[in-house]
Amino acid sequence: MASIRLSNIVKRYGFGAKANQVIHGVSAEINDGEFVVIVGPSGCGKSTLLRMVAGLEAITEGEISIGGKVVNKIEPAQRDIAMVFQNYALYPHMSVFENMAYGLKIAKVPPDQIRARVDKAAKILELGALLERRPGQLSGGQRQRVAMGRAIVREPQAFLFDEPLSNLDAKLRVQTRLEIQKLHRDLGITSLFVTHDQVEAMTLAQRMIVMNAGHIEQMGTPEEVYAKPASTFVASFIGSPPMNLLKHASLAKPGQILGIRPEHLRIVSGSSDAWQVQVESIEMLGAERLLYTRLNDESLIVRIDEADRVPAIGDRIEVVPRPDRLHYFDATSGKRTPDERKV
């Protein structure tokens, strides 16, 4: 196992005035044995950053070290990492065993060690009964587990995951997330996982890196990022539904944006502090509902649970925010302000 350190990483494509810079001085440290998720929208640079750690993309500026060793000029095969891709990249003519063992055979690992490593990985991933099958005989979830098994048998210093769940349906994504969590608990290997899905990020990460346009917007535990987003971008990207961001609410000063999450609003009656809103639509989500309302000229989402009375579309209702759950952001920069006022 090993830590991963990124120091002022820059990536540009092309040269001179026409160069396109996609990563802008990114610095971060993934601790030994830690599971860190890089999350952000398409095109934010998260996969490019991961590929630079893997050695599949050249670094324009900066330094990457794995286990205390600078790897900028070291070939991917020599970095002692294992990568799991979005597409399974399995050899269709080989059995599950042969796919998992192939990298070890190329490295000239003795056959008895290969068998021991593959059997161990197959047991961890519950693939023992599938070792003689070929990829075409497996489900998508089973193929992804084979891809993870191929990485495990390498016994690397670090795992790199590049959106490995994107090709799975919703049920399999949940199941495979649980398997990845268990895998990390069992092996404790340093892991860097890229996804555009904030639910994956929140459920898998010990810490998460939220990226936007080649910059790190925030790095912290899922709880920290959710409870204290560093910017309006993080506030709107992390959380489903996203945080309400209001420019004209009575509790925001000029030049500020007020943030309040839908679950931190409650319906009241006859309160002098209430906001008058009109219900425009309602989304039913099992034990809870989302009310899409209008507060003057701004939209406001309110989350209610099954114990609350459900208003009708078109109703005017009163809601109040929890005063200890208000967030303030600078309207120009979008950054969180230190003004944590209580009301």
Side-chain angles (χ1 to χ4, degrees), residues 14-309:
F15 302 94
K18 294 184 178 181
N20 178 28
Q21 185 162 326
V22 296
I23 301 292
H24 305 271
V26 164
S27 295
E29 184 161 355
I30 295 85
N31 298 320
D32 188 4
E34 189 176 27
F35 197 112
V36 170
V37 176
I38 306 175
V39 63
S42 297
C44 73
K46 56 188 184 295
S47 287
T48 299
L49 190 62
L50 190 78
R51 289 172 65 84
M52 287 194 287
V53 175
L56 302 176
E57 291 272 2
I59 303 164
T60 306
E61 295 176 19
E63 187 176 274
I64 295 177
S65 64
I66 300 175
K69 181 179 181 180
V70 176
V71 298
N72 289 33
K73 297 182 180 180
I74 295 178
E75 291 297 315
Q78 306 304 317
R79 295 192 181 196
D80 197 13
I81 51 92
M83 195 160 182
V84 180
F85 296 93
Q86 179 178 348
N87 58 346
Y88 317 122
L90 302 178
Y91 295 106
H93 62 286
M94 292 184 181
S95 67
V96 168
F97 179 90
E98 289 168 335
N99 267 282
M100 292 171 65
Y102 184 72
L104 300 181
K105 288 183 179 179
I106 295 299
K108 301 188 184 306
V109 175
D112 58 335
Q113 291 187 31
I114 292 176
R115 169 57 69 175
R117 289 196 198 181
V118 172
D119 285 347
K120 179 180 177 182
K123 183 177 180 181
I124 291 171
L125 295 168
E126 299 181 359
L127 292 171
L130 306 177
L131 288 176
E132 300 308 316
R133 294 189 189 181
R134 293 188 177 182
Q137 299 172 294
L138 306 178
S139 68
Q142 290 168 336
R143 291 180 203 173
Q144 192 56 273
R145 278 155 51 199
V146 174
M148 288 191 288
R150 183 177 54 196
I152 291 170
V153 298
R154 297 267 309 277
E155 298 182 354
Q157 291 191 92
F159 287 136
L160 306 181
F161 296 88
D162 190 8
E163 304 211 40
L165 310 185
S166 296
N167 291 336
L168 305 181
D169 62 33
K171 183 178 180 181
L172 274 177
R173 281 201 301 271
V174 173
Q175 179 183 333
T176 309
R177 283 205 305 263
L178 296 175
E179 290 172 352
I180 291 174
Q181 284 179 323
K182 183 178 183 300
L183 182 66
H184 185 258
R185 286 197 303 270
D186 291 344
L187 301 179
I189 294 177
T190 308
S191 299
L192 198 53
F193 185 106
V194 160
T195 181
H196 65 274
D197 187 327
Q198 55 100 9
V199 174
E200 281 181 19
M202 294 287 287
T203 54
L204 282 172
Q206 293 177 323
R207 285 192 302 155
M208 57 198 295
I209 297 171
V210 184
M211 286 193 68
N212 178 30
H215 297 272
I216 291 181
E217 289 273 339
Q218 187 170 1
M219 184 171 185
T221 66
E223 294 80 8
E224 290 167 346
V225 172
Y226 188 81
K228 282 198 170 185
S231 65
T232 52
F233 174 83
V234 177
S236 60
F237 190 78
I238 299 298
S240 181
M243 181 183 288
N244 295 295
L245 297 172
L246 306 168
K247 294 182 179 179
H248 306 300
S250 60
L251 297 176
K253 290 180 179 179
Q256 278 187 329
I257 294 173
L258 174 69
I260 182 73
R261 292 208 178 272
E263 65 268 29
H264 296 147
L265 290 158
R266 60 187 180 90
I267 299 175
V268 296
S269 179
S271 171
S272 59
D273 297 327
W275 295 341
Q276 305 286 331
V277 302
Q278 184 168 19
V279 180
E280 295 187 328
S281 62
I282 300 173
E283 188 175 12
M284 195 276 193
L285 299 173
E288 61 186 22
R289 287 173 172 79
L290 299 179
L291 309 182
Y292 293 86
T293 74
R294 178 66 54 179
L295 174 61
N296 299 322
D297 61 343
E298 298 186 287
S299 61
L300 184 77
I301 305 174
V302 181
R303 176 179 277 156
I304 61 175
D305 61 34
E306 58 186 352
D308 294 316
R309 182 186 69 83

